[in-house]
Protein backbone atom coordinates (compact mmCIF):
# COMPACT_ATOMS: atom_id res chain seq x y z
CA UNK A 1 0.00 0.00 0.00
CA UNK A 2 1.44 3.39 -1.02
CA UNK A 3 1.32 6.59 1.01
CA UNK A 4 -1.50 7.99 -1.12
CA UNK A 5 -3.61 4.90 -0.67
CA UNK A 6 -3.06 5.10 3.07
CA UNK A 7 -4.59 8.61 3.05
CA UNK A 8 -7.78 7.32 1.40
CA UNK A 9 -9.91 5.47 3.89
CA UNK A 10 -12.65 3.09 2.91
CA UNK A 11 -14.56 2.22 6.11
CA UNK A 12 -14.28 4.94 8.75
CA UNK A 13 -16.56 7.96 8.59
CA UNK A 14 -15.15 11.49 8.79
CA UNK A 15 -16.70 14.90 9.41
CA UNK A 16 -18.60 16.46 6.51
CA UNK A 17 -16.71 19.76 6.65
CA UNK A 18 -13.38 17.91 6.62
CA UNK A 19 -14.45 15.76 3.64
CA UNK A 20 -15.61 18.81 1.64
CA UNK A 21 -12.27 20.52 2.36
CA UNK A 22 -10.26 17.38 1.47
CA UNK A 23 -12.16 17.03 -1.83
CA UNK A 24 -11.33 20.67 -2.65
CA UNK A 25 -14.90 21.94 -2.88
CA UNK A 26 -14.02 24.73 -0.44
CA UNK A 27 -10.66 26.33 0.22
CA UNK A 28 -10.82 26.14 4.03
CA UNK A 29 -12.62 24.01 6.60
CA UNK A 30 -14.06 27.18 8.12
CA UNK A 31 -15.63 28.09 4.77
CA UNK A 32 -16.99 24.56 4.41
CA UNK A 33 -18.46 24.76 7.91
CA UNK A 34 -20.12 28.12 7.21
CA UNK A 35 -21.65 26.78 3.99
CA UNK A 36 -23.03 23.76 5.85
CA UNK A 37 -24.45 25.92 8.65
CA UNK A 38 -25.92 28.30 6.06
CA UNK A 39 -27.92 25.48 4.48
CA UNK A 40 -25.92 25.40 1.24
CA UNK A 41 -24.93 21.74 1.75
CA UNK A 42 -27.44 18.89 2.00
CA UNK A 43 -26.51 15.34 3.00
CA UNK A 44 -28.94 12.75 1.54
CA UNK A 45 -31.41 15.59 0.78
CA UNK A 46 -31.43 16.87 4.37
CA UNK A 47 -29.78 19.80 6.09
CA UNK A 48 -27.08 18.68 8.46
CA UNK A 49 -24.33 19.80 10.81
CA UNK A 50 -20.64 20.09 10.00
CA UNK A 51 -19.91 17.20 12.35
CA UNK A 52 -22.07 14.78 10.35
CA UNK A 53 -20.20 11.54 9.58
CA UNK A 54 -19.80 11.00 5.82
CA UNK A 55 -20.34 7.48 4.54
CA UNK A 56 -19.52 5.94 1.19
CA UNK A 57 -22.50 5.97 -1.17
CA UNK A 58 -24.08 9.09 0.35
CA UNK A 59 -25.45 11.85 -1.87
CA UNK A 60 -24.25 15.39 -1.15
CA UNK A 61 -25.81 18.44 -2.78
CA UNK A 62 -23.70 21.58 -2.43
CA UNK A 63 -23.47 25.12 -3.68
CA UNK A 64 -20.13 26.17 -5.09
CA UNK A 65 -20.03 29.72 -6.35
CA UNK A 66 -23.05 30.23 -8.60
CA UNK A 67 -23.30 26.51 -9.37
CA UNK A 68 -24.99 23.65 -7.57
CA UNK A 69 -23.47 20.19 -7.64
CA UNK A 70 -24.83 16.80 -6.65
CA UNK A 71 -22.11 14.26 -5.91
CA UNK A 72 -21.96 10.68 -4.70
CA UNK A 73 -19.27 9.81 -2.16
CA UNK A 74 -16.88 7.13 -3.46
CA UNK A 75 -14.08 7.44 -0.91
CA UNK A 76 -13.04 9.20 2.28
CA UNK A 77 -9.93 11.15 3.13
CA UNK A 78 -8.87 13.11 6.20
CA UNK A 79 -6.08 14.91 4.33
CA UNK A 80 -6.32 17.43 1.52
CA UNK A 81 -5.08 15.60 -1.56
CA UNK A 82 -3.91 16.70 -4.99
CA UNK A 83 -6.78 17.63 -7.31
CA UNK A 84 -6.78 14.40 -9.40
CA UNK A 85 -6.76 12.26 -6.25
CA UNK A 86 -9.44 14.40 -4.62
CA UNK A 87 -11.71 14.02 -7.67
CA UNK A 88 -11.47 10.26 -7.29
CA UNK A 89 -13.25 10.53 -3.92
CA UNK A 90 -16.57 11.54 -5.49
CA UNK A 91 -18.57 11.32 -8.69
CA UNK A 92 -20.88 14.05 -9.94
CA UNK A 93 -24.27 12.83 -11.13
CA UNK A 94 -25.17 13.14 -14.82
CA UNK A 95 -28.21 15.31 -14.07
CA UNK A 96 -26.05 17.69 -12.04
CA UNK A 97 -23.51 18.00 -14.85
CA UNK A 98 -26.23 18.74 -17.42
CA UNK A 99 -27.84 21.33 -15.15
CA UNK A 100 -24.49 23.06 -14.50
CA UNK A 101 -23.71 23.25 -18.24
CA UNK A 102 -27.19 24.62 -18.99
CA UNK A 103 -26.84 27.30 -16.31
CA UNK A 104 -23.38 28.24 -17.58
CA UNK A 105 -24.81 28.67 -21.09
CA UNK A 106 -27.63 30.86 -19.74
CA UNK A 107 -25.13 33.03 -17.86
CA UNK A 108 -23.03 33.35 -20.99
CA UNK A 109 -25.96 34.42 -23.20
CA UNK A 110 -27.36 36.76 -20.56
CA UNK A 111 -24.15 38.77 -20.61
CA UNK A 112 -24.83 39.65 -24.23
CA UNK A 113 -28.11 41.33 -23.28
CA UNK A 114 -26.52 43.58 -20.66
CA UNK A 115 -23.24 44.82 -22.16
CA UNK A 116 -20.98 47.11 -20.17
CA UNK A 117 -20.43 50.63 -21.54
CA UNK A 118 -17.01 51.54 -22.86
CA UNK A 119 -16.60 54.52 -20.52
CA UNK A 120 -17.89 55.66 -17.15
CA UNK A 121 -20.90 57.97 -17.36
CA UNK A 122 -20.08 61.63 -16.82
CA UNK A 123 -22.00 63.92 -14.45
CA UNK A 124 -24.69 64.82 -16.99
CA UNK A 125 -25.29 61.17 -17.94
CA UNK A 126 -25.52 60.16 -14.26
CA UNK A 127 -28.18 62.82 -13.66
CA UNK A 128 -30.14 61.55 -16.65
CA UNK A 129 -29.88 57.96 -15.38
CA UNK A 130 -31.06 58.97 -11.90
CA UNK A 131 -33.97 60.88 -13.40
CA UNK A 132 -34.91 57.90 -15.57
CA UNK A 133 -34.72 55.49 -12.62
CA UNK A 134 -36.79 57.75 -10.34
CA UNK A 135 -39.61 57.87 -12.90
CA UNK A 136 -39.92 54.08 -12.98
Amino acid sequence: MTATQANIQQNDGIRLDKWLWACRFYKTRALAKSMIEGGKVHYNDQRCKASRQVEIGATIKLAQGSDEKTVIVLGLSEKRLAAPLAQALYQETAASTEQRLARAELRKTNSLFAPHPDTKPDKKMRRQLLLLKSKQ
Side-chain angles (χ1 to χ4, degrees), residues 60-128:
I60 298 176
K61 186 175 183 182
L62 58 110
Q64 191 177 28
S66 60
D67 290 331
E68 265 192 13
K69 292 182 180 180
T70 305
V71 298
I72 298 171
V73 179
L74 299 179
L76 305 175
S77 175
E78 294 237 351
K79 294 186 177 183
R80 192 167 170 94
L81 304 172
L85 296 173
Q87 290 172 355
L89 297 176
Y90 64 89
Q91 179 182 13
E92 188 173 2
T93 61
S96 172
T97 306
E98 290 174 14
Q99 190 177 33
R100 261 190 326 108
L101 293 175
R103 285 184 181 178
E105 190 64 34
L106 286 174
R107 281 194 305 270
K108 201 179 293 185
T109 57
N110 190 21
S111 65
L112 299 176
F113 292 113
H116 296 290
D118 294 332
T119 61
K120 273 178 70 172
D122 59 2
K123 192 170 187 176
K124 182 178 179 182
M125 291 173 73
R126 281 196 301 271
R127 286 183 182 156
Q128 290 173 344

Side-chain angles (χ1 to χ4, degrees), residues 12-16 43 49-55 58 76:
D12 300 335
I14 63 167
R15 292 173 54 100
L16 180 59
Y43 184 86
K49 295 183 178 181
S51 61
R52 171 75 185 208
Q53 294 293 312
V54 178
E55 299 169 350
L76 305 175

Side-chain angles (χ1 to χ4, degrees), residues 125-136:
M125 291 173 73
R126 281 196 301 271
R127 286 183 182 156
Q128 290 173 344
L129 286 169
L130 288 171
L131 182 65
L132 183 67
K133 288 181 179 180
S134 67
K135 288 182 180 180
Q136 290 180 352

Side-chain angles (χ1 to χ4, degrees), residues 26-70:
Y26 301 111
K27 196 167 187 174
T28 63
R29 277 186 65 190
L31 181 59
K33 183 178 179 182
S34 67
M35 295 298 273
I36 294 167
E37 290 172 351
K40 304 288 193 275
V41 177
H42 291 215
Y43 184 86
N44 288 336
D45 294 326
Q46 294 181 346
R47 284 187 68 168
C48 58
K49 295 183 178 181
S51 61
R52 171 75 185 208
Q53 294 293 312
V54 178
E55 299 169 350
I56 295 175
T59 304
I60 298 176
K61 186 175 183 182
L62 58 110
Q64 191 177 28
S66 60
D67 290 331
E68 265 192 13
K69 292 182 180 180
T70 305

Side-chain angles (χ1 to χ4, degrees), residues 10-23:
Q10 293 300 325
N11 296 330
D12 300 335
I14 63 167
R15 292 173 54 100
L16 180 59
D17 61 339
K18 197 174 230 185
W19 186 84
L20 290 170
W21 167 77
C23 288

